[in-house]
Amino acid sequence: MSRQINVASPLVILHGDEMAQVAFERILETFVTRPLDINLVEIDLTAENRLATNGQAVTDAIEALNRHGVGVKNAGMTVNREQLDAMLAERPTLDRASLNPLATKSPNGAIRKGIGGNITREDIEFRNLRLERPQWVGRDIVVDTMDDGGIKDSHNALADGSGMVKLLFVGASGDPVELHRREVSKGDPWLLATNDLDAVKAWAHRFFQRAIDEQRDIYLGLKDTVIAGYDGVMRAAIEDIYRADYQAKVEELGLEYHYELIDAQAARLVANPPERAIWGVPDNTSGRKLYKLVEQLKRHGIPDRKAQVSISRMSAGGGDQYGSYNAPAEEDGILKVVVDGEEKHARHVRKGDPILLMSNDRAAIKDWVLQVFRDASRKDKEVYFGLKREYMDYDEVFSNVITEARRELAKADTPPPSFMIMRPSRQLVKMITDPPRNALYPAQNLDGDIFSDISAALGGSLATASSIIESKNGTMLFEAPHGTAHDLYLQYQESDGKVAHFNSSALIYAVGNALETVAEREGNDELGDYASRLKAALIDTIGDGIVTGDLKGKTNEPEKESVVDMQGFIDAVAERLTA
């Protein structure tokens, strides 16, 4: 056996779920623990352990990252209501009412907030992948969204000074009840949005009836895992109506119904669209963006991508919907937003109406903008911000901070890269249908989540993109942008481990990036050389036409491709690494 490379610094390893975890364990054994003498700080972030530890595993992950500075995170499951019910049924000693939100929600937002990190996602520069672009011109797909409600009809404002934002509710008793409070500083934006559940139900009836009348397959997209008290409430109401009033007719007509998280569904519909479908996105801010994108695609199609696409997501500082208070109203009443004792806004809600209160941190926004400019300058990228500043005080803060950062950089004789500010819908359309030479697209958290999945899918697959979370204090977390591959995991289980299909490219690349960062920080040239060779071996493997099933037919010479399973691909990378 060859000598191991000595590594002085620990590396944080955050384990995940399902097929991604099967791959991750083999990657760590092949490329980390076997060739390196390194201390791994390993934390179990599986859905089961997050629940069993009542969220302590997430807290442990944040503490480890802040202490050691560099980590690799695997994909983990975010459980929906049905999955949570099943998991709790198997653990009768757990009390649902006393569960910490960290036990059941996605850990991603908490980790990003805990380390103060923002996300940059970009394509891995595989030299021989080509996109078989779907024929979009004239394709018969329509997007249906609600006209009103939600963030479109929110009340948003800036904090007059540092203090406390409180959300109060006045119901039948007449006594105000505090639902939520959060600290803000002067200039921080906050926003209150609600949706009329009766209006959501009326939209659902129109949506499903339109699908039947026009005989279209049905797609519904929301973010119910992360925003369970808002999107989850809408999903439950819409799907109750579907099952009660429309499912039998839909099945009788031979039509299909699909629900997916909106980011995954957006990627699927854009990169692998059905022939004829109706796509329901009840949230009108996301819905309008995706409606405009689909209309552009139907007119102009998807052009060749001649440059790498990078997306930066503002996720530190509390963020948007991901850092919100969200829950349904327990009874009819009045919501009030009070800032330092002064009532700023009030509105009526009815029982069951979903409520969302969110805020952001102006200082964190500035850190993000400076990071965007720094990254773009280092990689010679143009910058295209997406903001709704024409009618959103919340977004106007971002615009003001961009101007402020630009002036400070110019004064310091370090001018920022070329940049533009446009509406998020235009930003998305430009990224997909009119991409410039080399660009970075900064977006707020939910937009960035949807946009990055669309971009990665058009670049080949989510497994051909890299994801980097960087905090102001230098903490770096590398991860794969894809999920846990539930369908592939079921095949793996049913075959007793004999059928193992998974593209491990993004996970291998994340490990290489993390090791490269550790090497730079401790001045370890031998480790740095190894990390660079690992990333090169990955790119060479696909360059030689050795691909997993998801990339079949996507290289420049499909007739020369060799399609392998997960282990075959890892072995091929290892072979090139040692050659």
Side-chain angles (χ1 to χ4, degrees):
M1 182 177 178
S2 60
R3 180 184 64 84
Q4 288 185 310
I5 298 171
N6 291 316
V7 184
S9 307
L11 177 64
V12 179
I13 299 293
L14 307 182
H15 291 288
D17 288 290
E18 298 189 325
M19 203 63 208
Q21 181 60 23
V22 175
F24 196 44
E25 289 173 1
R26 297 189 186 181
I27 289 166
L28 291 174
E29 178 187 358
T30 305
F31 302 119
V32 180
T33 58
R34 192 182 301 164
L36 307 178
D37 180 8
I38 185 172
N39 175 29
L40 298 183
V41 180
E42 301 184 71
I43 295 171
D44 181 356
L45 274 188
T46 60
E48 288 194 357
N49 196 52
R50 298 197 311 268
L51 184 65
T53 62
N54 198 20
Q56 183 61 40
V58 181
T59 301
D60 292 344
I62 294 167
E63 291 176 352
L65 288 168
N66 283 326
R67 184 183 312 119
H68 300 295
V70 184
V72 183
K73 181 184 175 299
N74 194 13
M77 285 175 55
T78 303
V79 296
N80 57 31
R81 289 190 308 163
E82 292 79 8
Q83 291 168 325
L84 178 59
D85 290 343
M87 292 171 70
L88 288 173
E90 295 175 357
R91 298 166 178 80
T93 58
L94 289 178
D95 177 21
R96 182 191 294 264
S98 63
L99 286 177
N100 188 306
L102 295 177
T104 57
K105 290 186 176 182
S106 166
N108 296 340
I111 290 172
R112 292 164 196 158
K113 184 176 181 181
I115 66 174
N118 296 303
I119 311 167
T120 300
R121 287 185 175 175
E122 60 188 14
D123 306 331
I124 301 171
E125 295 191 63
F126 292 112
R127 55 183 175 269
N128 64 320
L129 288 184
R130 61 180 177 83
L131 173 65
E132 280 289 343
R133 300 184 308 281
Q135 178 52 253
W136 255 99
V137 174
R139 189 174 286 266
D140 195 4
I141 291 178
V142 295
V143 176
D144 199 318
T145 189
M146 295 181 65
D147 293 328
D148 301 300
I151 290 177
K152 179 181 177 183
D153 293 327
S154 69
H155 182 85
N156 58 95
L158 308 184
D160 297 328
S162 297
M164 194 72 66
V165 172
K166 297 180 182 179
L167 182 63
L168 306 180
F169 178 78
V170 182
S173 70
D175 297 323
V177 176
E178 184 177 311
L179 299 179
H180 182 70
R181 64 166 60 194
R182 57 177 58 196
E183 293 182 6
V184 292
S185 298
K186 184 177 182 179
D188 287 355
W190 60 267
L191 177 154
L192 174 69
T194 59
N195 250 317
D196 183 329
L197 195 59
D198 286 341
V200 173
K201 293 177 179 178
W203 173 83
H205 282 290
R206 293 193 300 271
F207 172 65
F208 289 125
Q209 191 59 54
R210 180 181 177 186
I212 288 170
D213 291 344
E214 299 178 9
Q215 297 199 22
R216 296 179 181 274
D217 289 333
I218 303 165
Y219 291 78
L220 177 68
L222 284 159
K223 197 71 174 177
D224 64 302
T225 51
V226 175
I227 324 172
Y230 195 77
D231 281 28
V233 170
M234 291 192 282
R235 178 190 176 184
I238 292 166
E239 291 196 323
D240 284 348
I241 287 170
Y242 173 70
R243 286 188 289 266
D245 299 333
Y246 298 98
Q247 184 173 359
K249 184 62 175 178
V250 167
E251 292 176 352
E252 179 187 330
L253 290 171
L255 303 175
E256 296 182 3
Y257 169 78
H258 303 274
Y259 174 81
E260 288 183 300
L261 294 179
I262 188 169
D263 45 344
Q265 188 187 82
R268 182 190 302 276
L269 283 175
V270 173
N272 186 27
E275 289 302 319
R276 181 174 170 80
I278 184 169
W279 185 7
V281 186
D283 173 72
N284 52 51
T285 52
S286 295
R288 289 299 298 171
K289 297 182 190 85
L290 297 167
Y291 170 82
K292 292 177 181 179
L293 174 63
V294 167
E295 292 304 302
Q296 285 288 315
L297 291 173
K298 288 194 290 188
R299 282 197 292 271
H300 305 296
I302 300 173
D304 285 329
R305 291 176 62 150
K306 298 178 180 178
Q308 189 181 46
V309 173
S310 301
I311 296 170
S312 179
R313 286 171 57 189
M314 164 65 188
S315 50
D320 46 27
Q321 290 93 322
Y322 290 66
S324 68
Y325 165 83
N326 56 94
E330 294 186 358
E331 60 173 314
D332 294 1
I334 299 173
L335 280 178
K336 295 184 177 183
V337 180
V338 176
V339 183
D340 275 357
E342 183 179 350
E343 184 179 310
K344 296 293 186 179
H345 180 69
R347 63 171 60 185
H348 288 276
V349 289
R350 287 180 288 185
K351 183 177 180 179
D353 286 355
I355 301 164
L356 181 144
L357 176 73
M358 66 189 200
S359 64
N360 219 317
D361 182 327
R362 194 182 191 281
I365 294 170
K366 188 169 183 180
D367 289 340
W368 173 62
V369 169
L370 290 170
Q371 179 184 318
V372 165
F373 284 152
R374 184 172 62 250
D375 291 350
S377 295
R378 188 169 63 240
K379 298 178 181 178
D380 194 26
K381 292 181 181 292
E382 300 170 348
V383 179
Y384 296 86
F385 288 96
L387 298 171
K388 299 182 291 291
R389 55 182 178 165
E390 294 88 349
Y391 61 94
M392 292 277 291
D393 288 342
Y394 193 97
D395 282 26
E396 183 66 21
V397 174
F398 287 76
S399 180
N400 292 339
V401 168
I402 291 167
T403 300
E404 182 180 303
R406 179 187 65 182
R407 288 174 178 166
E408 289 180 6
L409 290 170
K411 190 174 181 180
D413 201 25
T414 54
S418 172
F419 72 92
M420 291 180 63
I421 300 176
M422 55 185 63
R423 285 197 173 194
S425 57
R426 178 63 192 136
Q427 181 191 36
L428 175 61
V429 168
K430 182 169 185 59
M431 181 177 72
I432 304 304
T433 67
D434 181 29
R437 298 184 309 277
N438 198 25
L440 177 62
Y441 296 87
Q444 294 182 47
N445 212 350
L446 180 58
D447 282 351
D449 201 352
I450 298 170
F451 294 3
S452 61
D453 278 18
I454 291 174
S455 177
L458 289 174
S461 83
L462 286 169
T464 62
S466 87
S467 184
I468 301 170
I469 301 172
E470 179 181 357
S471 73
K472 184 181 179 181
N473 68 6
T475 298
M476 302 286 286
L477 178 61
F478 302 90
E479 61 180 358
H482 55 64
T484 62
H486 177 68
D487 53 342
L488 300 179
Y489 187 59
L490 292 179
Q491 293 178 22
Y492 179 79
Q493 287 183 309
E494 291 165 0
S495 69
D496 198 24
K498 294 183 177 65
V499 178
H501 294 299
F502 185 82
N503 186 342
S504 52
S505 297
L507 280 172
I508 294 172
Y509 201 80
V511 168
N513 274 336
L515 295 175
E516 207 166 47
T517 303
V518 170
E520 290 172 0
R521 294 186 176 185
E522 67 177 48
N524 190 330
D525 293 339
E526 189 177 12
L527 177 63
D529 175 68
Y530 172 80
S532 297
R533 288 190 293 109
L534 173 58
K535 291 163 65 174
L538 168 66
I539 291 170
D540 288 344
T541 299
I542 290 180
D544 291 339
I546 299 174
V547 297
T548 46
D550 60 313
L551 297 182
K552 182 180 179 180
K554 294 183 179 180
T555 67
N556 292 331
E557 298 180 292
E559 69 282 356
K560 295 183 180 179
E561 290 174 357
S562 176
V563 180
V564 295
D565 66 3
M566 179 191 73
Q567 190 58 51
F569 186 79
I570 292 173
D571 288 345
V573 175
E575 180 183 336
R576 281 153 184 79
L577 177 61
T578 57

